[in-house]
Amino acid sequence: LTGVLDDCLCDIESIDDFNTFKIFPKIQKLQERDYFRYYKVNLKRPCPFWADDGHCSIKDCHVEPCPESKIPVGIKAGSSNKYSKAANNSRELEDCEQANKLGAVNSTLSNQSKEAFIDWARYDDSQDHFCELDDERSPDAQYVDLLLNPERYTGYKGPSAWRVWNSIYEENCFKPRSVYRPLNPLAPSRGGLEFVCLFSWTGLCLEKRVFYKLISGLHASINLHLCANYLLEETWGKPRWGPNVKEFTRRFDPIETKGEGPRRLKNLYFLYLIELRALSKVAPYFERSVVDLYTGNGHEDAESKALLLDIFRDTK
């Protein structure tokens, strides 16, 4: 890829240089920190959308949970804000609480308003939940070490994987009227997967284009990870992982994808810029002394926050 990205004044080469020499090395170090390394999730929870077989198709793809004995005490404590005890006693927090009292919102409600809210709640309860979060307190929840479970090829493919992406694209309110991507792999076709006609932005405003690009960029990111870290050989000994050029070509080559592959990659760059902008916007929150990346290890926590702030400075 070369040249300027669509819908923004930034070129591919500048983004490559910035990421390679500024962001990527620091992000790698940050991922090794305990605060970002351990993640609690319920792996046994069934899919809420359709009956599905959650078992892996290859033995090397499953997620390996981490024993609680290895989890830092500060992370196990379950402090959602991850504030240290010292930070909680700081003058800055007291000032913040005082400001909240001075600017408190009048929370009294009329009976008419209360009745209206009950009707709203009834309506909300009758709808499908938009998003369900994992309950970290669930007895089935386990800690996962993300360094031991890198994003890579999982063997999850075919109709099940197609159904996930089809739902993501088709159930959005807006999308290009035509886009080159696989149709139902179960449908009979003359030669492998059927595809829709070539991509078109006809009739989409900037906001709708941006939304679609973000979803496409996420899709491209996941595809790139599985191509870059693919199970090349499954043996009785140690499995061999590495780049799969053939798979990458199938998903991104201009000829193989009828010109759509480069656009997918451009959407990934676009998503990257949006993420950098989000990081720069959230930076002031973390720059406050009261916020601590708390794991219980004071020295490591200080180093983690310093590294995070360094990344924020770069993004700005």
Side-chain angles (χ1 to χ4, degrees):
L1 294 182
T2 58
V4 178
L5 284 178
D6 301 330
D7 289 324
C8 65
L9 300 174
C10 196
D11 61 79
I12 301 284
E13 292 81 2
S14 297
I15 301 171
D16 276 338
D17 286 345
F18 180 73
N19 182 61
T20 301
F21 299 109
K22 289 272 192 181
I23 297 295
F24 183 65
K26 294 172 184 175
I27 287 285
Q28 276 193 310
K29 289 181 181 177
L30 201 64
Q31 285 178 310
E32 295 171 1
R33 299 285 174 175
D34 286 348
Y35 185 84
F36 295 98
R37 175 177 178 177
Y38 297 106
Y39 182 74
K40 198 170 188 182
V41 62
N42 182 1
L43 297 169
K44 299 176 183 177
R45 188 176 177 186
C47 175
F49 305 109
W50 48 66
D52 202 1
D53 178 11
H55 293 288
C56 298
S57 59
I58 56 174
K59 65 182 177 62
D60 294 298
C61 86
H62 66 281
V63 176
E64 202 64 59
C66 194
E68 286 221 19
S69 58
K70 291 189 176 181
I71 307 300
V73 62
I75 292 178
K76 279 196 293 188
S79 172
S80 58
N81 292 319
K82 299 293 189 287
Y83 291 158
S84 68
K85 290 179 181 177
N88 275 327
N89 294 328
S90 71
R91 177 67 185 168
E92 189 174 344
L93 186 61
E94 292 173 8
D95 291 343
C96 181
E97 288 175 345
Q98 180 65 20
N100 283 339
K101 290 176 183 175
L102 292 173
V105 176
N106 184 340
S107 58
T108 56
L109 296 171
S110 67
N111 289 333
Q112 186 179 3
S113 296
K114 289 178 183 177
E115 288 174 8
F117 292 154
I118 291 172
D119 286 339
W120 294 357
R122 244 188 241 115
Y123 176 80
D124 289 342
D125 289 342
S126 69
Q127 307 301 304
D128 290 331
H129 291 291
F130 173 71
C131 181
E132 293 185 26
L133 300 177
D134 267 326
D135 183 3
E136 289 193 8
R137 294 165 296 183
S138 166
D140 288 328
Q142 297 171 293
Y143 285 98
V144 170
D145 184 341
L146 298 179
L147 292 184
L148 299 179
N149 297 278
E151 190 172 1
R152 61 188 180 187
Y153 177 72
T154 64
Y156 190 62
K157 58 185 178 181
S160 295
W162 171 85
R163 182 169 52 184
V164 172
W165 284 113
N166 188 65
S167 295
I168 290 171
Y169 283 104
E170 294 297 331
E171 293 177 17
N172 287 318
C173 301
F174 37 80
K175 58 183 183 295
R177 292 182 187 158
S178 54
V179 59
Y180 175 76
R181 64 183 186 78
L183 285 170
N184 189 345
L186 298 178
S189 64
R190 287 186 293 259
L193 297 180
E194 288 189 59
F195 291 88
V196 198
C197 57
L198 289 177
F199 192 95
S200 169
W201 288 119
T202 306
L204 284 190
C205 64
L206 173 65
E207 290 78 8
K208 291 180 179 180
R209 285 203 307 273
V210 166
F211 185 88
Y212 192 89
K213 284 182 178 185
L214 299 183
I215 299 298
S216 173
L218 170 66
H219 198 171
S221 173
I222 293 172
N223 281 335
L224 276 173
H225 274 96
L226 73 86
C227 294
N229 204 358
Y230 203 91
L231 183 61
L232 300 175
E233 189 177 8
E234 191 177 6
T235 62
W236 291 105
K238 191 175 181 181
R240 188 167 66 90
W241 298 84
N244 187 330
V245 178
K246 185 178 179 181
E247 189 65 30
F248 175 83
T249 302
R250 188 177 74 81
R251 295 169 185 266
F252 295 103
D253 180 76
I255 298 173
E256 291 270 345
T257 62
K258 298 185 179 179
E260 187 53 34
R263 192 188 296 271
R264 294 171 184 164
L265 294 174
K266 280 191 172 186
N267 290 340
L268 175 62
Y269 278 82
F270 187 82
L271 173 63
Y272 179 79
L273 291 178
I274 294 288
E275 288 178 336
L276 288 186
R277 189 167 185 173
L279 286 174
S280 65
K281 283 178 180 258
V282 80
Y285 173 85
F286 287 95
E287 287 168 352
R288 298 180 302 160
S289 61
V290 70
V291 176
D292 190 20
L293 305 183
Y294 182 59
T295 67
N297 183 333
H299 177 69
E300 177 166 310
D301 292 350
E303 286 188 345
S304 297
K305 182 170 181 180
L307 182 57
L308 181 66
L309 295 182
D310 193 24
I311 292 172
F312 285 150
R313 281 190 289 272
D314 286 337
T315 60
K316 285 183 179 179

